[in-house]
Every structure is written in structure tokens, then in C-alpha cells.
PDB file of all heavy atoms in Angstrom:
ATOM      1  N   ALA O 275      -1.562   5.381  -1.622  1.00 98.00           N
ATOM      2  CA  ALA O 275      -0.748   4.950  -0.483  1.00 98.00           C
ATOM      3  C   ALA O 275      -0.131   3.558  -0.687  1.00 98.00           C
ATOM      4  O   ALA O 275      -0.819   2.704  -1.272  1.00 98.00           O
ATOM      5  CB  ALA O 275      -1.487   5.034   0.798  1.00 98.00           C
ATOM      6  N   GLU O 276       1.102   3.385  -0.188  1.00 98.00           N
ATOM      7  CA  GLU O 276       1.681   2.070  -0.132  1.00 98.00           C
ATOM      8  C   GLU O 276       1.245   1.344   1.082  1.00 98.00           C
ATOM      9  O   GLU O 276       1.202   1.940   2.186  1.00 98.00           O
ATOM     10  CB  GLU O 276       3.176   2.204  -0.201  1.00 98.00           C
ATOM     11  CG  GLU O 276       3.870   0.841  -0.291  1.00 98.00           C
ATOM     12  CD  GLU O 276       5.333   0.906  -0.491  1.00 98.00           C
ATOM     13  OE1 GLU O 276       5.913   2.005  -0.734  1.00 98.00           O
ATOM     14  OE2 GLU O 276       6.004  -0.198  -0.431  1.00 98.00           O
ATOM     15  N   VAL O 277       0.911   0.086   0.943  1.00 98.00           N
ATOM     16  CA  VAL O 277       0.463  -0.700   2.075  1.00 98.00           C
ATOM     17  C   VAL O 277       1.778  -1.156   2.762  1.00 98.00           C
ATOM     18  O   VAL O 277       2.685  -1.842   2.082  1.00 98.00           O
ATOM     19  CB  VAL O 277      -0.306  -1.972   1.709  1.00 98.00           C
ATOM     20  CG1 VAL O 277      -0.576  -2.855   2.846  1.00 98.00           C
ATOM     21  CG2 VAL O 277      -1.723  -1.531   1.100  1.00 98.00           C
ATOM     22  N   VAL O 278       1.991  -0.827   4.060  1.00 98.00           N
ATOM     23  CA  VAL O 278       3.273  -1.046   4.722  1.00 98.00           C
ATOM     24  C   VAL O 278       3.084  -2.235   5.714  1.00 98.00           C
ATOM     25  O   VAL O 278       4.084  -2.696   6.286  1.00 98.00           O
ATOM     26  CB  VAL O 278       3.879   0.188   5.311  1.00 98.00           C
ATOM     27  CG1 VAL O 278       4.348   1.102   4.232  1.00 98.00           C
ATOM     28  CG2 VAL O 278       3.004   0.835   6.311  1.00 98.00           C
ATOM     29  N   GLY O 279       1.821  -2.554   5.972  1.00 98.00           N
ATOM     30  CA  GLY O 279       1.559  -3.672   6.940  1.00 98.00           C
ATOM     31  C   GLY O 279       0.082  -3.998   6.915  1.00 98.00           C
ATOM     32  O   GLY O 279      -0.725  -3.209   6.638  1.00 98.00           O
ATOM     33  N   VAL O 280      -0.121  -5.262   7.281  1.00 97.00           N
ATOM     34  CA  VAL O 280      -1.535  -5.777   7.412  1.00 97.00           C
ATOM     35  C   VAL O 280      -1.615  -6.620   8.692  1.00 97.00           C
ATOM     36  O   VAL O 280      -0.743  -7.463   8.836  1.00 97.00           O
ATOM     37  CB  VAL O 280      -1.937  -6.673   6.176  1.00 97.00           C
ATOM     38  CG1 VAL O 280      -3.321  -7.257   6.426  1.00 97.00           C
ATOM     39  CG2 VAL O 280      -1.897  -5.800   4.909  1.00 97.00           C
ATOM     40  N   LEU O 281      -2.635  -6.342   9.499  1.00 97.00           N
ATOM     41  CA  LEU O 281      -2.919  -7.081  10.672  1.00 97.00           C
ATOM     42  C   LEU O 281      -4.225  -7.818  10.491  1.00 97.00           C
ATOM     43  O   LEU O 281      -5.186  -7.200  10.063  1.00 97.00           O
ATOM     44  CB  LEU O 281      -2.933  -6.188  11.944  1.00 97.00           C
ATOM     45  CG  LEU O 281      -1.600  -5.471  12.266  1.00 97.00           C
ATOM     46  CD1 LEU O 281      -1.841  -4.393  13.312  1.00 97.00           C
ATOM     47  CD2 LEU O 281      -0.516  -6.375  12.643  1.00 97.00           C
ATOM     48  N   VAL O 282      -4.316  -9.077  10.888  1.00 96.00           N
ATOM     49  CA  VAL O 282      -5.532  -9.845  10.815  1.00 96.00           C
ATOM     50  C   VAL O 282      -5.845 -10.508  12.144  1.00 96.00           C
ATOM     51  O   VAL O 282      -4.918 -10.863  12.921  1.00 96.00           O
ATOM     52  CB  VAL O 282      -5.461 -10.926   9.707  1.00 96.00           C
ATOM     53  CG1 VAL O 282      -5.311 -10.250   8.349  1.00 96.00           C
ATOM     54  CG2 VAL O 282      -4.374 -11.961  10.008  1.00 96.00           C
ATOM     55  N   SER O 283      -7.090 -10.606  12.506  1.00 96.00           N
ATOM     56  CA  SER O 283      -7.510 -11.273  13.782  1.00 96.00           C
ATOM     57  C   SER O 283      -7.265 -12.715  13.780  1.00 96.00           C
ATOM     58  O   SER O 283      -7.698 -13.419  12.854  1.00 96.00           O
ATOM     59  CB  SER O 283      -8.973 -10.954  14.011  1.00 96.00           C
ATOM     60  OG  SER O 283      -9.253  -9.596  14.186  1.00 96.00           O
ATOM     61  N   GLU O 284      -6.569 -13.158  14.789  1.00 95.00           N
ATOM     62  CA  GLU O 284      -6.281 -14.597  14.849  1.00 95.00           C
ATOM     63  C   GLU O 284      -7.423 -15.489  14.896  1.00 95.00           C
ATOM     64  O   GLU O 284      -7.339 -16.689  14.450  1.00 95.00           O
ATOM     65  CB  GLU O 284      -5.367 -14.839  16.095  1.00 95.00           C
ATOM     66  CG  GLU O 284      -3.951 -14.315  15.938  1.00 95.00           C
ATOM     67  CD  GLU O 284      -3.110 -14.707  17.203  1.00 95.00           C
ATOM     68  OE1 GLU O 284      -2.931 -15.878  17.456  1.00 95.00           O
ATOM     69  OE2 GLU O 284      -2.607 -13.715  17.790  1.00 95.00           O
ATOM     70  N   GLU O 285      -8.558 -15.020  15.377  1.00 94.00           N
ATOM     71  CA  GLU O 285      -9.749 -15.890  15.498  1.00 94.00           C
ATOM     72  C   GLU O 285     -10.262 -16.397  14.150  1.00 94.00           C
ATOM     73  O   GLU O 285     -11.026 -17.388  14.115  1.00 94.00           O
ATOM     74  CB  GLU O 285     -10.833 -15.184  16.244  1.00 94.00           C
ATOM     75  CG  GLU O 285     -11.500 -14.017  15.470  1.00 94.00           C
ATOM     76  CD  GLU O 285     -12.569 -13.253  16.297  1.00 94.00           C
ATOM     77  OE1 GLU O 285     -13.664 -13.771  16.360  1.00 94.00           O
ATOM     78  OE2 GLU O 285     -12.175 -12.234  16.921  1.00 94.00           O
ATOM     79  N   TYR O 286      -9.821 -15.735  13.049  1.00 93.00           N
ATOM     80  CA  TYR O 286     -10.265 -16.219  11.752  1.00 93.00           C
ATOM     81  C   TYR O 286      -9.247 -17.013  11.008  1.00 93.00           C
ATOM     82  O   TYR O 286      -9.394 -17.327   9.803  1.00 93.00           O
ATOM     83  CB  TYR O 286     -10.731 -14.952  10.910  1.00 93.00           C
ATOM     84  CG  TYR O 286     -11.836 -14.282  11.577  1.00 93.00           C
ATOM     85  CD1 TYR O 286     -11.624 -13.002  12.142  1.00 93.00           C
ATOM     86  CD2 TYR O 286     -13.131 -14.758  11.554  1.00 93.00           C
ATOM     87  CE1 TYR O 286     -12.614 -12.375  12.758  1.00 93.00           C
ATOM     88  CE2 TYR O 286     -14.158 -14.085  12.144  1.00 93.00           C
ATOM     89  CZ  TYR O 286     -13.961 -12.896  12.768  1.00 93.00           C
ATOM     90  OH  TYR O 286     -14.999 -12.173  13.354  1.00 93.00           O
ATOM     91  N   MET O 287      -8.198 -17.419  11.696  1.00 92.00           N
ATOM     92  CA  MET O 287      -7.132 -18.302  11.114  1.00 92.00           C
ATOM     93  C   MET O 287      -7.488 -19.744  11.321  1.00 92.00           C
ATOM     94  O   MET O 287      -7.939 -20.152  12.376  1.00 92.00           O
ATOM     95  CB  MET O 287      -5.772 -17.939  11.787  1.00 92.00           C
ATOM     96  CG  MET O 287      -5.254 -16.553  11.548  1.00 92.00           C
ATOM     97  SD  MET O 287      -4.935 -16.103   9.809  1.00 92.00           S
ATOM     98  CE  MET O 287      -3.620 -17.238   9.473  1.00 92.00           C
ATOM     99  N   THR O 288      -7.205 -20.527  10.297  1.00 91.00           N
ATOM    100  CA  THR O 288      -7.321 -22.003  10.397  1.00 91.00           C
ATOM    101  C   THR O 288      -6.044 -22.578  10.932  1.00 91.00           C
ATOM    102  O   THR O 288      -5.040 -21.909  11.010  1.00 91.00           O
ATOM    103  CB  THR O 288      -7.621 -22.605   9.014  1.00 91.00           C
ATOM    104  OG1 THR O 288      -6.513 -22.469   8.198  1.00 91.00           O
ATOM    105  CG2 THR O 288      -8.837 -22.002   8.326  1.00 91.00           C
ATOM    106  N   ASP O 289      -6.136 -23.834  11.314  1.00 91.00           N
ATOM    107  CA  ASP O 289      -4.882 -24.512  11.801  1.00 91.00           C
ATOM    108  C   ASP O 289      -3.901 -24.644  10.732  1.00 91.00           C
ATOM    109  O   ASP O 289      -2.664 -24.676  11.040  1.00 91.00           O
ATOM    110  CB  ASP O 289      -5.327 -25.929  12.247  1.00 91.00           C
ATOM    111  CG  ASP O 289      -6.160 -25.910  13.556  1.00 91.00           C
ATOM    112  OD1 ASP O 289      -6.113 -24.925  14.254  1.00 91.00           O
ATOM    113  OD2 ASP O 289      -6.832 -26.895  13.801  1.00 91.00           O
ATOM    114  N   SER O 290      -4.243 -24.588   9.457  1.00 93.00           N
ATOM    115  CA  SER O 290      -3.294 -24.665   8.361  1.00 93.00           C
ATOM    116  C   SER O 290      -2.729 -23.320   7.947  1.00 93.00           C
ATOM    117  O   SER O 290      -1.959 -23.225   7.003  1.00 93.00           O
ATOM    118  CB  SER O 290      -3.921 -25.372   7.136  1.00 93.00           C
ATOM    119  OG  SER O 290      -5.012 -24.543   6.628  1.00 93.00           O
ATOM    120  N   GLY O 291      -3.114 -22.287   8.631  1.00 91.00           N
ATOM    121  CA  GLY O 291      -2.637 -20.932   8.355  1.00 91.00           C
ATOM    122  C   GLY O 291      -3.363 -20.059   7.317  1.00 91.00           C
ATOM    123  O   GLY O 291      -2.887 -19.090   6.828  1.00 91.00           O
ATOM    124  N   LYS O 292      -4.595 -20.521   6.917  1.00 92.00           N
ATOM    125  CA  LYS O 292      -5.419 -19.761   6.021  1.00 92.00           C
ATOM    126  C   LYS O 292      -6.252 -18.821   6.754  1.00 92.00           C
ATOM    127  O   LYS O 292      -6.782 -19.056   7.836  1.00 92.00           O
ATOM    128  CB  LYS O 292      -6.286 -20.705   5.228  1.00 92.00           C
ATOM    129  CG  LYS O 292      -7.206 -19.999   4.186  1.00 92.00           C
ATOM    130  CD  LYS O 292      -8.134 -20.985   3.495  1.00 92.00           C
ATOM    131  CE  LYS O 292      -8.943 -20.369   2.492  1.00 92.00           C
ATOM    132  NZ  LYS O 292     -10.107 -19.630   3.003  1.00 92.00           N
ATOM    133  N   PHE O 293      -6.406 -17.607   6.285  1.00 93.00           N
ATOM    134  CA  PHE O 293      -7.272 -16.531   6.869  1.00 93.00           C
ATOM    135  C   PHE O 293      -8.593 -16.673   6.224  1.00 93.00           C
ATOM    136  O   PHE O 293      -8.801 -16.501   4.997  1.00 93.00           O
ATOM    137  CB  PHE O 293      -6.599 -15.160   6.668  1.00 93.00           C
ATOM    138  CG  PHE O 293      -7.462 -14.109   7.368  1.00 93.00           C
ATOM    139  CD1 PHE O 293      -7.510 -14.058   8.746  1.00 93.00           C
ATOM    140  CD2 PHE O 293      -8.134 -13.139   6.603  1.00 93.00           C
ATOM    141  CE1 PHE O 293      -8.263 -12.968   9.343  1.00 93.00           C
ATOM    142  CE2 PHE O 293      -8.870 -12.133   7.238  1.00 93.00           C
ATOM    143  CZ  PHE O 293      -9.009 -12.079   8.588  1.00 93.00           C
ATOM    144  N   ASN O 294      -9.643 -16.930   7.001  1.00 90.00           N
ATOM    145  CA  ASN O 294     -11.054 -17.077   6.535  1.00 90.00           C
ATOM    146  C   ASN O 294     -11.751 -15.664   6.564  1.00 90.00           C
ATOM    147  O   ASN O 294     -12.552 -15.420   7.359  1.00 90.00           O
ATOM    148  CB  ASN O 294     -11.824 -18.071   7.327  1.00 90.00           C
ATOM    149  CG  ASN O 294     -11.442 -19.433   7.040  1.00 90.00           C
ATOM    150  OD1 ASN O 294     -11.116 -19.795   5.881  1.00 90.00           O
ATOM    151  ND2 ASN O 294     -11.479 -20.312   8.005  1.00 90.00           N
ATOM    152  N   LEU O 295     -11.404 -14.880   5.484  1.00 90.00           N
ATOM    153  CA  LEU O 295     -12.040 -13.550   5.430  1.00 90.00           C
ATOM    154  C   LEU O 295     -13.593 -13.590   5.313  1.00 90.00           C
ATOM    155  O   LEU O 295     -14.271 -12.830   5.830  1.00 90.00           O
ATOM    156  CB  LEU O 295     -11.443 -12.821   4.184  1.00 90.00           C
ATOM    157  CG  LEU O 295     -11.851 -11.411   3.987  1.00 90.00           C
ATOM    158  CD1 LEU O 295     -11.477 -10.517   5.156  1.00 90.00           C
ATOM    159  CD2 LEU O 295     -11.304 -10.845   2.684  1.00 90.00           C
ATOM    160  N   GLU O 296     -14.074 -14.687   4.585  1.00 89.00           N
ATOM    161  CA  GLU O 296     -15.513 -14.809   4.456  1.00 89.00           C
ATOM    162  C   GLU O 296     -16.242 -15.071   5.789  1.00 89.00           C
ATOM    163  O   GLU O 296     -17.413 -14.795   5.866  1.00 89.00           O
ATOM    164  CB  GLU O 296     -15.833 -15.917   3.445  1.00 89.00           C
ATOM    165  CG  GLU O 296     -15.367 -17.328   3.827  1.00 89.00           C
ATOM    166  CD  GLU O 296     -13.926 -17.611   3.443  1.00 89.00           C
ATOM    167  OE1 GLU O 296     -13.154 -16.741   2.983  1.00 89.00           O
ATOM    168  OE2 GLU O 296     -13.515 -18.759   3.664  1.00 89.00           O
ATOM    169  N   ASP O 297     -15.577 -15.392   6.820  1.00 91.00           N
ATOM    170  CA  ASP O 297     -16.162 -15.691   8.072  1.00 91.00           C
ATOM    171  C   ASP O 297     -16.288 -14.430   8.940  1.00 91.00           C
ATOM    172  O   ASP O 297     -16.926 -14.464  10.083  1.00 91.00           O
ATOM    173  CB  ASP O 297     -15.380 -16.738   8.889  1.00 91.00           C
ATOM    174  CG  ASP O 297     -15.516 -18.152   8.244  1.00 91.00           C
ATOM    175  OD1 ASP O 297     -16.411 -18.322   7.418  1.00 91.00           O
ATOM    176  OD2 ASP O 297     -14.692 -19.007   8.636  1.00 91.00           O
ATOM    177  N   THR O 298     -15.718 -13.305   8.499  1.00 93.00           N
ATOM    178  CA  THR O 298     -15.629 -12.124   9.319  1.00 93.00           C
ATOM    179  C   THR O 298     -17.005 -11.267   9.251  1.00 93.00           C
ATOM    180  O   THR O 298     -17.179 -10.413  10.154  1.00 93.00           O
ATOM    181  CB  THR O 298     -14.510 -11.209   8.863  1.00 93.00           C
ATOM    182  OG1 THR O 298     -14.750 -10.749   7.510  1.00 93.00           O
ATOM    183  CG2 THR O 298     -13.181 -11.876   8.944  1.00 93.00           C
ATOM    184  N   GLY O 299     -17.864 -11.586   8.362  1.00 93.00           N
ATOM    185  CA  GLY O 299     -19.144 -10.820   8.270  1.00 93.00           C
ATOM    186  C   GLY O 299     -18.957  -9.475   7.615  1.00 93.00           C
ATOM    187  O   GLY O 299     -19.606  -8.516   8.001  1.00 93.00           O
ATOM    188  N   LEU O 300     -18.085  -9.340   6.587  1.00 94.00           N
ATOM    189  CA  LEU O 300     -17.878  -8.137   5.924  1.00 94.00           C
ATOM    190  C   LEU O 300     -19.185  -7.539   5.289  1.00 94.00           C
ATOM    191  O   LEU O 300     -20.101  -8.256   4.921  1.00 94.00           O
ATOM    192  CB  LEU O 300     -16.819  -8.244   4.789  1.00 94.00           C
ATOM    193  CG  LEU O 300     -15.388  -8.574   5.236  1.00 94.00           C
ATOM    194  CD1 LEU O 300     -14.533  -8.705   3.995  1.00 94.00           C
ATOM    195  CD2 LEU O 300     -14.855  -7.524   6.142  1.00 94.00           C
ATOM    196  N   ILE O 301     -19.218  -6.288   5.211  1.00 94.00           N
ATOM    197  CA  ILE O 301     -20.289  -5.508   4.572  1.00 94.00           C
ATOM    198  C   ILE O 301     -19.838  -4.687   3.407  1.00 94.00           C
ATOM    199  O   ILE O 301     -18.628  -4.382   3.308  1.00 94.00           O
ATOM    200  CB  ILE O 301     -21.103  -4.611   5.546  1.00 94.00           C
ATOM    201  CG1 ILE O 301     -20.134  -3.543   6.079  1.00 94.00           C
ATOM    202  CG2 ILE O 301     -21.699  -5.432   6.665  1.00 94.00           C
ATOM    203  CD1 ILE O 301     -20.902  -2.303   6.616  1.00 94.00           C
ATOM    204  N   ALA O 302     -20.777  -4.350   2.539  1.00 94.00           N
ATOM    205  CA  ALA O 302     -20.512  -3.412   1.452  1.00 94.00           C
ATOM    206  C   ALA O 302     -21.553  -2.282   1.464  1.00 94.00           C
ATOM    207  O   ALA O 302     -22.543  -2.362   2.245  1.00 94.00           O
ATOM    208  CB  ALA O 302     -20.546  -4.157   0.065  1.00 94.00           C
ATOM    209  N   TYR O 303     -21.252  -1.269   0.674  1.00 94.00           N
ATOM    210  CA  TYR O 303     -22.219  -0.101   0.648  1.00 94.00           C
ATOM    211  C   TYR O 303     -22.740  -0.071  -0.800  1.00 94.00           C
ATOM    212  O   TYR O 303     -21.979  -0.137  -1.758  1.00 94.00           O
ATOM    213  CB  TYR O 303     -21.409   1.160   0.952  1.00 94.00           C
ATOM    214  CG  TYR O 303     -22.235   2.396   0.926  1.00 94.00           C
ATOM    215  CD1 TYR O 303     -23.086   2.703   1.938  1.00 94.00           C
ATOM    216  CD2 TYR O 303     -22.136   3.291  -0.104  1.00 94.00           C
ATOM    217  CE1 TYR O 303     -23.854   3.895   1.985  1.00 94.00           C
ATOM    218  CE2 TYR O 303     -22.919   4.435  -0.162  1.00 94.00           C
ATOM    219  CZ  TYR O 303     -23.776   4.749   0.952  1.00 94.00           C
ATOM    220  OH  TYR O 303     -24.558   5.872   0.922  1.00 94.00           O
TER     221      TYR O 303
END
């Protein structure tokens, strides 16, 4: 599939516009 859009939660954005993915608490299997 082609990625046609990505939405990210604003609460993980820094003032400089960086998305802090590592702060989201991601899990793996």
C-alpha cells in the first residue's frame, strides 16, 4: 500500500516541531 497520509498526536511535538516518537511508549512483539 501507498502511504497517503500520516497523523501524529500533538502532545509528542516539541516547540521546535520535532515529533518525539520515543516518548510514546511504543511496543514490539
Side-chain angles (χ1 to χ4, degrees):
E276 185 171 353
V277 174
V278 295
V280 176
L281 298 171
V282 297
S283 295
E284 287 185 59
E285 69 184 279
Y286 299 106
M287 296 297 295
T288 66
D289 291 339
S290 63
K292 180 182 182 281
F293 183 68
N294 283 328
L295 186 61
E296 61 276 5
D297 291 345
T298 63
L300 293 179
I301 61 158
Y303 181 78

